[in-house]
Amino acid sequence: LPLIAILSLSGIAFSQQMTGSLVGLVTDASGASVPKAKIAIRNANSGDVRRTETNSEGYYSVQGVFPGTYVMTVEAQGFA
């Protein structure tokens, strides 16, 4: 079953602020949240990888994300 990651990249518009936050919800094809899913975001230019895991409700948050293009992967037990 495919996993769906809903995400939002946000940042504060201060002149000193250089990073944002990546937050979202991981759900399965039926719309049920997926707890303990492993999230990896890779900066397409630098190759830097940040990892996190969804909480018990399927939500995740990655702080301190620099502007750029990212590739996101989501893995969870029982999904291929």
Side-chain angles (χ1 to χ4, degrees):
L1 295 173
L3 296 177
I4 300 168
I6 300 170
L7 58 99
S8 171
L9 184 61
S10 62
I12 301 173
F14 296 136
S15 62
Q16 303 291 321
Q17 184 71 25
M18 297 297 295
T19 63
S21 300
L22 184 65
V23 296
L25 171 66
V26 175
T27 60
D28 65 13
S30 73
S33 63
V34 181
K36 298 206 180 270
K38 293 177 181 4
I39 308 286
I41 60 166
R42 181 181 54 82
N43 184 300
N45 294 324
S46 70
D48 178 50
V49 177
R50 305 280 303 277
R51 300 177 192 282
T52 192
E53 189 173 281
T54 59
N55 66 13
S56 62
E57 297 175 342
Y59 290 97
Y60 64 90
S61 176
V62 181
Q63 306 297 315
V65 178
F66 287 99
T69 302
Y70 288 84
V71 176
M72 175 187 244
T73 58
V74 180
E75 297 178 359
Q77 189 173 10
F79 294 90

